[in-house]
Amino acid sequence: MPAITDLSKAISKATEKANKAQASRTDSAIIDSQIKAAEQRVTSAGASVTRNEMVKRDIEDKLSPPPTKTVASDAKKGGSKTVVDEKEKDKLEAQVRAAQMQIDQAKAAVEAARSEADELKTKSLDVAGVDAQTQQEMANLSREVDELQKLSKDPQTDLSGEAFQNKLTTTMTNSEKLAGKAPDAPNSTLQKFWEEVAKGFTDVQKQITKANTPTPAVIDKSNNYAGFFEDSDQGFNSIINKLESTGADREVVTQIRNQKDLISSHKDKYLAGMSSDDDKVLQGMMTHVNSLVGKISKGETLSNDDLAKLITLTTDASETLQTGGENFADVAKIPFDTITINLEKVKSKTNGDATFGAFYDKLATIFGNGNNNYAMLEGISASEMKQLYEFSDSVTASKNQSGNLSTEQINKLVTDGSAVTEMLKKYGFSGNSNGGGRGSTGGGGNSTIGRGR
């Protein structure tokens, strides 16, 4: 399959030839003017064909079904009946014939003007010193490029298939040979010819690029990216099965399996901090996975470059997932802020309960330790974050309750809160050395607890 760079060279060469043939004030100026006039007549007559064809279709629509009229029925029975209006029908049929005559005349004018333009172009090329054989090769190349353009836009064409690729290779070879043979004389016909060749190759290049550009994967963010992880597992399984069935080296299979496990290892992490940029990293990985699965479905072989790119994109995605997303810290602090804002108000509803007071002091030392930060929570699981949010919700509910808390409610808050503090310790959170935070029974400290109301 010719590389895109090869096609780019063909485009560049054709453009170079067009620039060298750019029309100048020469003896061919009169012929150039005549060619433009003939081409304008082709355009004008072509528009007339289109216009009259539309008129004809409109009239034919009125004839199907034929026009009718209402007439009196049998005199004995009375009433009326509907019959074909022959007079109106004849009138419409005459209009159809007239429109067809206009179409035929316009088509004849198109052919006459086109023939005149072709003759003038031949004359123009003769003046520029382009021999008959070269002119024939130019005509052949124009047909080949035109055919490639049409094929490349046909959804049924396999642009990577042997048939299309052979045509493309042949046409590029013919273009290169003709570029070396055709003169660089200032001539508008030569200029236009090479501009059309360059445009034709450019159109083909765009279609090939489009065909080779996979549809971006859709990243399902719902349920903590459960859909993404499911799609990833399925894609990797297809790739691994393909490698194993084709006898790939054990080391290669193991490496790809490790990449699958690398992504899967993040599926339980809390990922609410993922941004749109983070999603693009995941999308890049899944788009490539999908493209490899597509190659497998076509029976194609996965190249070393395919697998190397998969490893690179998977590693990038893993690093992104590991951080929990660029907005992780902003999202992770939300339940902490809620607890900070509401917990002192809750404390005032405990009637000085000693158990709650001790718990409050313990939590205050953790919140007051300036060495603790939200980045330490990177990698926290979704279930652990849910635990933190549930405690935050309990604190808010307790603050909003009218009246003091019962012993049972206090004990549940202490139990749930203690479980949260133990979980935070797992991620390196610890109490400060100065004791409790402001508002706690330990006094002083730099805790944020108690700053809100």
Side-chain angles (χ1 to χ4, degrees):
M1 177 175 177
I4 291 295
T5 52
D6 295 333
L7 195 47
S8 296
K9 289 177 182 177
I11 296 169
S12 178
K13 188 63 178 178
T15 302
E16 178 188 346
K17 295 291 288 187
N19 290 337
K20 289 182 177 179
Q22 188 169 7
S24 61
R25 297 288 182 180
T26 67
D27 292 340
S28 63
I30 296 176
I31 299 177
D32 294 342
S33 177
Q34 292 172 334
I35 290 173
K36 290 179 181 178
E39 288 177 336
Q40 288 174 352
R41 288 196 294 275
V42 170
T43 301
S44 177
S48 179
V49 171
T50 302
R51 184 169 57 253
N52 283 287
E53 284 179 338
M54 292 176 62
V55 171
K56 180 184 175 184
R57 282 196 298 271
D58 289 342
I59 299 170
E60 289 174 336
D61 288 341
K62 296 177 182 178
L63 284 167
S64 180
T68 60
K69 63 180 180 179
T70 301
V71 299
S73 186
D74 189 288
K76 295 180 179 179
K77 297 180 178 179
S80 61
K81 61 180 179 179
T82 300
V83 298
V84 173
D85 189 338
E86 295 295 343
K87 184 177 180 180
E88 182 64 20
K89 179 183 175 184
D90 291 342
K91 176 183 175 183
L92 292 173
E93 288 177 341
Q95 291 175 354
V96 169
R97 290 191 295 271
Q100 184 60 55
M101 184 179 297
Q102 293 292 326
I103 292 170
D104 293 340
Q105 290 175 350
K107 285 183 176 180
V110 168
E111 292 305 315
R114 183 174 289 133
S115 177
E116 181 183 355
D118 289 342
E119 289 178 3
L120 288 168
K121 288 176 184 178
T122 298
K123 184 177 180 180
S124 174
L125 293 173
D126 288 339
V127 172
V130 182
D131 59 44
Q133 183 180 347
T134 302
Q135 291 185 38
Q136 183 59 51
E137 291 173 4
M138 289 171 63
N140 292 341
L141 181 59
S142 290
R143 284 193 293 271
E144 291 172 0
V145 172
D146 184 60
E147 181 183 8
L148 282 173
Q149 282 181 287
K150 292 177 181 177
L151 285 172
S152 68
K153 295 175 182 178
D154 186 344
Q156 303 301 317
T157 302
D158 181 3
L159 298 183
S160 61
E162 184 177 0
F164 181 82
Q165 287 297 313
N166 286 342
K167 285 181 180 293
L168 178 57
T169 300
T170 298
T171 304
M172 288 194 299
T173 300
N174 292 340
S175 178
E176 183 177 0
K177 289 180 179 179
L178 184 59
K181 182 179 181 180
D184 291 328
N187 181 275
S188 62
T189 302
L190 278 172
Q191 178 188 0
K192 186 173 182 181
F193 167 78
W194 286 113
E195 286 175 346
E196 289 176 349
V197 170
K199 181 183 183 303
F201 280 136
T202 299
D203 289 345
V204 172
Q205 184 185 53
K206 288 179 180 179
Q207 293 300 322
I208 292 175
T209 300
K210 181 180 178 181
N212 290 334
T213 303
T215 303
V218 177
I219 301 302
D220 184 0
K221 301 182 64 163
S222 62
N223 196 21
N224 204 50
Y225 288 80
F228 162 76
F229 288 108
E230 182 179 349
D231 292 342
S232 174
D233 281 348
Q234 291 178 354
F236 269 101
N237 286 339
S238 296
I239 294 169
I240 292 169
N241 290 339
K242 175 66 174 180
L243 293 174
E244 290 178 333
S245 67
T246 54
D249 290 343
R250 181 176 181 181
E251 292 79 4
V252 173
V253 176
T254 299
Q255 192 172 18
I256 299 303
R257 195 184 299 278
N258 288 343
Q259 294 303 112
K260 172 196 171 184
D261 294 340
L262 183 63
I263 295 298
S264 296
S265 68
H266 301 293
K267 67 172 54 178
D268 294 325
K269 288 186 173 67
Y270 180 69
L271 301 174
M274 297 284 284
S275 67
S276 58
D277 287 339
D278 294 325
D279 286 346
K280 288 178 182 178
V281 177
L282 304 189
Q283 185 181 57
M285 187 204 89
M286 276 309 306
T287 298
H288 187 58
V289 169
N290 291 344
S291 70
L292 297 191
V293 172
K295 292 183 71 171
I296 291 171
S297 67
K298 295 177 183 178
E300 298 178 14
T301 302
L302 302 184
S303 68
N304 291 333
D305 287 343
D306 287 333
L307 299 178
K309 183 176 180 180
L310 176 63
I311 292 171
T312 299
L313 293 175
T314 304
T315 301
D316 291 344
S318 175
E319 292 174 353
T320 298
L321 292 167
Q322 177 61 41
T323 66
E326 66 176 346
N327 297 326
F328 176 81
D330 291 336
V331 175
K333 72 189 290 288
I334 293 174
F336 286 90
D337 287 346
T338 302
I339 294 169
T340 297
I341 291 170
N342 295 322
L343 199 59
E344 186 179 12
K345 183 67 174 179
V346 172
K347 183 174 181 290
S348 70
K349 295 186 175 186
T350 63
N351 281 325
D353 184 275
T355 301
F356 188 88
F359 160 70
Y360 183 89
D361 288 346
K362 181 179 179 181
L363 192 62
T365 63
I366 292 176
F367 276 45
N369 187 349
N371 293 323
N372 296 333
N373 62 78
Y374 303 116
M376 296 165 62
L377 292 174
E378 287 183 1
I380 189 172
S381 70
S383 59
E384 289 171 329
M385 204 66 186
K386 180 182 178 184
Q387 178 185 359
L388 184 58
Y389 265 100
E390 287 176 344
F391 177 61
S392 169
D393 292 341
S394 295
V395 169
T396 300
S398 298
K399 185 265 293 186
N400 291 334
Q401 177 180 310
S402 59
N404 291 332
L405 303 179
S406 67
T407 300
E408 182 180 0
Q409 290 174 316
I410 292 173
N411 289 339
K412 187 175 187 317
L413 274 177
V414 171
T415 299
D416 294 345
S418 296
V420 166
T421 59
E422 291 303 311
M423 182 265 289
L424 293 176
K425 288 180 181 179
K426 171 182 170 182
Y427 292 95
F429 276 59
S430 60
N432 63 34
S433 58
N434 296 325
R438 191 181 73 179
S440 70
T441 55
N446 60 352
S447 170
T448 55
I449 288 181
R451 292 182 184 174
R453 290 292 184 273

